[in-house]
Amino acid sequence: MAKLAGGRRMAAENPDYDVIVVGGGGAGLIAAIYACDAGARVALLEADDRLGGSTALSGGLFYATETKQQQELKVIDDQQSVCADIAKISSGEIPDSLSRRFASEAKLTLDWLVSIGVEFPSDRLVSADRIMPARSHEPVGFGASIIRSLDYEVSKRDIDIAYRSRVQELIVDDTGAVCGVRLEGSDIHSAAVVLACGGIGGSPELLDRMTPKSRRVADWRWYVGPKQNQGDGLLMAESVGARICGKDSGLFLLSPNFYRDLEVIGPAWAMLVNRQGQRIVREDGGYWELSEAVERQEEGSAYYIFNEELLLASEPDERVLEALADGTITLNWIPSVIHEQAEKGKVEVADTLEDLARAINVDAAALAATVNSYNSAAESEDNDAFFKAKEYCLAMRGGPYYAVEVRPSIAIVTGAGAAIDDRGNVLAKDGRPIPGLYAAGEVTGNVYGPYYIGSGYAIGTTLTFGRRAGIEAASFATAPAGPVENHLPTTPDHHETGQA
């Protein structure tokens, strides 16, 4: 067996590839491209019969700072501010080194996407929560347009692609270095492997294990991403001694459970209350802010309250209409659907607030007080308690009144997986990199944190760390030979505190 630098020990003198990328979504595609451009011989293995992964199904928003789009709109922002916001929102659980790497390289990744044909017009640049600086760059054509451009770039390069090729395990040499992958009936050897095979959303067992918060929504829970995302990367990394982290890290969107369909933006014009009849968040906040506010409720659910007048006057958000035209979603919060669901018993309707409170088992006096306070704010110049924008803070006087239960039940991003460093190296439990193993995207466990950072953070980190993982894997794989070190795990226990 040949001895190579940094502890690499190959199963053959001439490995089949320098770099094997597992997964053909956004992270895998960009990793394969950058590894190839760095001179590596690359194979891309995809379990599905097409490329794209979760990125293809996403809105494609990309979170970045110090961009040309920000400069055009004179947005005041910088890398230090991004890192500070990430630290604050994640309660310090996302390592500073990862935040700094992301803040500094997201712009480079975005510029490169533009150079290959993805359009990120400045007039589509928005603030993730209407408070922090505008950092969320929306592409024309959503995530599908990103995948089309990445797919084309792959086709221009000498990258071998195998579809319907689910990797079953990693091959490890006698020093603990990863040196290939095992598929059903065959082994493929390489100097480095990049895990980019998605999250755990397609595995109910792993969702129960790694996101116990989601158990409360019971049979409302469902996953919007590819069915192939069953936690293969997490399990493979764990099997070779990686530190698994990210318990309860993930974004579960609010849903009224009318359909198994995705509508990210809820009715900002309505009022959201918990089971005590109290408001819990500004309803025009970020979709993740609303979900997390409901998650913090003891019962794990809440109700949108509105009346017939507000319902009939409502208009879907422009972004919702564009996604509807693109065939991405169906609508929940329009009169015809609400009336239909009321007939099916999924929406409560009453002529008075007292009767509505009784129907949803909420204290009538508390609900009435909340509505009165809300109406007063709507009809005055004063801000309401949650500083909701005046255009969405609308009084409701007179029935019929509606109550729609919502729960954070749509798994859209999962953040449980292998810990990585800022070069994309997968880390063992002792904090040392596992030689030859890299990861990017939802397969990682220390990138997302307990609370979602904001619109575009998932795609931004997926592509930025995918790019970095490709660069680093190629560098590792093509480096000159050197001494071999022993990198076997220092402890055999795969279930230490915080892992499950």
Side-chain angles (χ1 to χ4, degrees):
M1 298 173 72
K3 298 181 179 179
L4 302 178
R8 287 170 285 164
R9 185 186 297 273
M10 304 310 302
E13 283 292 333
N14 298 305
D16 302 299
Y17 295 95
D18 296 318
V19 176
I20 293 174
V21 178
V22 183
L29 289 171
I30 196 169
I33 291 167
Y34 269 87
C36 180
D37 288 355
R41 295 170 300 133
V42 180
L44 178 64
L45 308 179
E46 169 56 46
D48 202 353
D49 57 6
R50 68 183 68 184
L51 301 174
S54 296
T55 302
L57 304 174
S58 73
L61 274 80
F62 192 107
Y63 190 99
T65 188
E66 299 179 0
T67 66
K68 295 176 182 176
Q69 291 86 345
Q70 285 184 320
Q71 292 172 7
E72 288 180 15
L73 298 183
K74 295 180 171 52
V75 174
I76 299 174
D77 194 24
D78 55 34
Q79 296 177 31
Q80 291 73 24
S81 297
V82 166
C83 291
D85 286 342
I86 291 174
K88 179 180 178 181
I89 295 170
S90 72
S91 300
E93 291 196 22
I94 298 174
D96 291 342
S97 59
L98 294 185
S99 299
R100 289 194 298 269
R101 174 74 74 175
F102 171 60
S104 65
E105 296 190 0
K107 171 187 178 298
L108 302 177
T109 309
L110 184 70
D111 286 347
W112 181 79
L113 289 172
V114 172
S115 77
I116 66 170
V118 185
E119 298 179 60
F120 288 93
S122 58
D123 61 3
R124 286 175 175 247
L125 176 64
V126 297
S127 168
D129 61 357
R130 299 192 176 105
I131 295 177
M132 67 175 65
R135 298 169 181 153
S136 302
H137 301 69
E138 184 180 50
V140 175
F142 306 110
S145 67
I146 295 176
I147 292 300
R148 281 193 297 270
S149 293
L150 291 175
D151 190 359
Y152 179 64
E153 290 302 311
V154 167
S155 73
K156 292 159 55 177
R157 291 164 171 80
D158 188 17
I159 297 173
D160 289 347
I161 303 176
Y163 299 95
R164 296 180 293 279
S165 299
R166 181 178 291 278
V167 175
Q168 297 183 336
E169 61 181 297
L170 298 171
I171 301 173
V172 180
D173 69 17
D174 57 7
T175 73
V178 172
C179 58
V181 300
R182 179 160 293 136
L183 291 80
E184 185 175 358
S186 64
D187 292 352
I188 308 176
H189 296 97
S190 64
V193 173
V194 178
L195 294 177
C197 44
I200 63 174
S203 169
E205 295 78 17
L206 282 176
L207 281 176
D208 283 346
R209 170 188 161 187
M210 298 305 298
T211 60
K213 68 181 183 181
S214 71
R215 297 176 193 164
R216 293 191 300 170
V217 304
D219 61 356
W220 283 41
R221 188 181 72 186
W222 65 282
Y223 176 53
V224 72
K227 63 181 180 181
Q228 287 78 16
N229 288 359
Q230 297 179 13
D232 294 357
L234 182 154
L235 296 174
M236 286 189 286
E238 185 176 48
S239 73
V240 299
R243 179 166 69 89
I244 303 302
C245 53
K247 180 168 283 189
D248 265 345
S249 174
L251 176 58
F252 291 79
L253 295 182
L254 291 182
S255 170
N257 203 33
F258 296 162
Y259 317 105
R260 288 294 168 99
D261 209 341
L262 178 65
E263 183 178 351
V264 173
I265 302 173
W269 44 268
M271 185 179 72
L272 187 65
V273 303
N274 60 16
R275 289 180 176 268
Q276 287 71 50
Q278 301 168 337
R279 288 179 70 207
I280 54 177
V281 69
R282 61 188 181 98
E283 295 84 359
D284 60 337
Y287 53 83
W288 65 94
E289 293 178 307
L290 274 66
S291 293
E292 290 163 1
V294 176
E295 281 179 348
R296 287 191 288 269
Q297 304 307 303
E298 183 177 351
E299 303 84 359
S301 69
Y303 289 93
Y304 273 114
I305 307 295
F306 50 91
N307 66 358
E308 183 79 6
E309 181 182 7
L310 290 182
L311 176 62
L312 295 179
S314 67
E315 295 183 359
D317 188 283
E318 290 183 5
R319 291 168 291 173
V320 171
L321 292 176
E322 186 174 352
L324 179 67
D326 196 54
T328 307
I329 64 168
T330 55
L331 297 180
N332 290 311
W333 305 100
I334 57 175
S336 60
V337 172
I338 296 297
H339 293 154
E340 174 191 18
Q341 296 300 319
E343 292 179 1
K344 293 181 178 180
K346 290 189 174 183
V347 173
E348 296 294 341
V349 188
D351 290 332
T352 67
L353 280 174
E354 183 178 3
D355 288 341
L356 188 72
R358 187 178 301 112
I360 60 176
N361 197 28
V362 167
D363 182 84
L367 181 61
T370 298
V371 172
N372 288 336
S373 176
Y374 185 81
N375 286 345
S376 296
E379 295 172 338
S380 73
E381 297 298 321
D382 299 330
N383 289 318
D384 78 295
F386 292 91
F387 294 92
K388 184 176 182 177
K390 283 295 184 181
E391 63 183 296
Y392 297 114
C393 189
L394 306 171
M396 58 181 100
R397 296 193 181 280
Y401 294 94
Y402 294 82
V404 182
E405 183 181 8
V406 289
R407 301 178 188 177
S409 53
I410 306 176
I412 189 169
V413 175
T414 59
I420 61 170
D421 65 15
D422 71 316
R423 294 173 178 260
N425 297 284
V426 171
L427 302 177
K429 296 193 191 82
D430 62 6
R432 293 190 299 172
I434 298 175
L437 187 59
Y438 300 82
E442 286 185 76
V443 75
T444 61
N446 59 344
V447 173
Y448 296 104
Y451 304 109
Y452 194 58
I453 304 302
S455 295
Y457 184 77
I459 296 298
T461 53
T462 288
L463 297 175
T464 300
F465 284 112
R467 171 184 176 274
R468 175 50 51 189
I471 293 170
E472 299 293 342
S475 176
F476 179 89
T478 59
V484 174
E485 302 173 15
N486 192 316
H487 293 272
L488 291 172
T490 58
T491 171
D493 183 11
H494 288 184
H495 299 281
E496 61 192 26
T497 302
Q499 293 191 34

